[in-house]
């Protein structure tokens, strides 16, 4: 076993260190203009969704506030949702009604506002984390540099931090577009 560990260290781990160092130094080229344009498009989509959500709620509120959203969904619109689903209550937490993704996914088809809120959250996350976040860390050479860790995960996979470039979504068209930039 000692021989195997020795081989793993010298033949895999040490050579990988050099490769990761070169990757970190090289960075990833980012099209800052296209990323800023993508962020502006996300802003426009968020405004449209915000207006539609306010219309569906029959008034404005802070969409990012779980408490206010819960009051709209389970208070103002709750009668409609609960009658359709034949539920006695929504899921209550210490601070109010739960509006986490699991709860909203169950209600997605019960009222148009729910699907719009889920889409709003997706767009807001893409914009803040990836558009705004990556624009802040683009170096003067137009590249973003991350740090790779090879000993952090239990499975032996690589991870990356500051920023985490391995976490950019791919399963949606918008996520794929973001990766392309």
């Amino acid at each position: 076993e000692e021989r195997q560990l020795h081989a793993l260290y010298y033949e895999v781990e040490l050579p990988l260190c050099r490769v990761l160092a070169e990757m970190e130094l090289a960075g990833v080229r980012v099209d800052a203009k296209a990323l800023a344009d993508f962020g502006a498009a996300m802003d426009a989509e968020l405004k449209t969704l915000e207006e539609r959500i306010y219309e569906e709620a029959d008034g404005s509120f802070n969409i990012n506030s779980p408490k206010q959203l819960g009051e709209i969904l389970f208070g103002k619109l709750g009668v409609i949702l609960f009658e359709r689903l034949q539920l006695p209550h929504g899921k209550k937490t210490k601070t109010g009604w739960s509006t986490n993704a699991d709860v909203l996914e169950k209600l997605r088809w019960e009222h148009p506002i729910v699907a719009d809120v889920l889409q709003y959250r997706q767009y807001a996350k893409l914009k803040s984390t990836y558009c705004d976040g990556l624009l802040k860390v683009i170096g003067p050479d137009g590249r973003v540099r991350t740090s790779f860790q090879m000993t952090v995960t239990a499975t032996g996979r690589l991870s990356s931090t500051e920023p985490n470039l391995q976490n950019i979504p791919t399963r949606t068209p918008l996520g794929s577009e973001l990766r392309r930039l």
Side-chain angles (χ1 to χ4, degrees):
E1 186 170 310
E2 190 177 320
R3 192 174 288 148
Q4 286 176 324
L5 290 175
H6 191 270
L8 175 66
Y9 180 73
Y10 285 101
E11 294 172 24
V12 178
E13 298 291 333
L14 278 182
L16 180 59
C17 288
R18 181 181 180 94
V19 171
L20 293 179
E22 289 173 3
M23 288 169 56
E24 287 179 10
L25 284 170
V28 177
R29 193 166 41 91
V30 177
D31 185 340
K33 167 96 172 73
L35 192 59
D37 292 346
F38 187 83
M42 287 289 94
D43 259 343
E45 288 292 331
L46 285 165
K47 278 278 179 236
T48 301
L49 280 167
E50 187 177 274
E51 289 169 13
R52 195 160 64 218
I53 289 167
Y54 292 162
E55 194 176 298
E56 291 161 347
D58 199 26
S60 65
F61 64 100
N62 181 354
I63 300 167
N64 296 310
S65 163
K67 187 171 196 257
Q68 289 182 33
L69 179 61
E71 287 167 3
I72 295 293
L73 293 179
F74 301 108
K76 202 171 186 179
L77 302 173
V79 176
I80 299 166
L81 295 175
F82 296 140
E83 281 176 5
R84 280 197 201 148
L85 290 176
Q86 299 176 342
L87 293 174
H89 311 286
K91 187 175 167 191
K92 198 97 176 194
T93 66
K94 281 183 250 177
T95 54
W97 298 102
S98 175
T99 59
N100 68 31
D102 289 342
V103 170
L104 295 186
E105 279 298 337
K106 289 176 186 161
L107 300 173
R108 177 186 281 276
W109 308 111
E110 300 307 319
H111 194 285
I113 195 172
V114 179
D116 288 339
V117 167
L118 284 166
Q119 190 172 21
Y120 180 92
R121 284 182 176 177
Q122 179 191 17
Y123 287 3
K125 172 77 175 168
L126 285 174
K127 178 166 183 344
S128 68
T129 303
Y130 302 111
C131 296
D132 301 345
L134 288 178
L135 281 171
K136 288 178 189 167
V137 295
I138 295 175
D141 61 351
R143 293 179 169 271
V144 171
R145 287 173 176 79
T146 189
S147 294
F148 290 104
Q149 284 82 42
M150 56 191 271
T151 59
V152 174
T153 67
T155 59
R157 290 183 178 184
L158 288 177
S159 65
S160 87
T161 57
E162 300 179 29
N164 182 354
L165 293 180
Q166 294 179 309
N167 205 30
I168 298 172
T170 59
R171 292 190 176 100
T172 64
L174 287 175
S176 294
E177 175 66 15
L178 195 53
R179 275 192 177 224
R180 190 184 65 73
L181 303 175

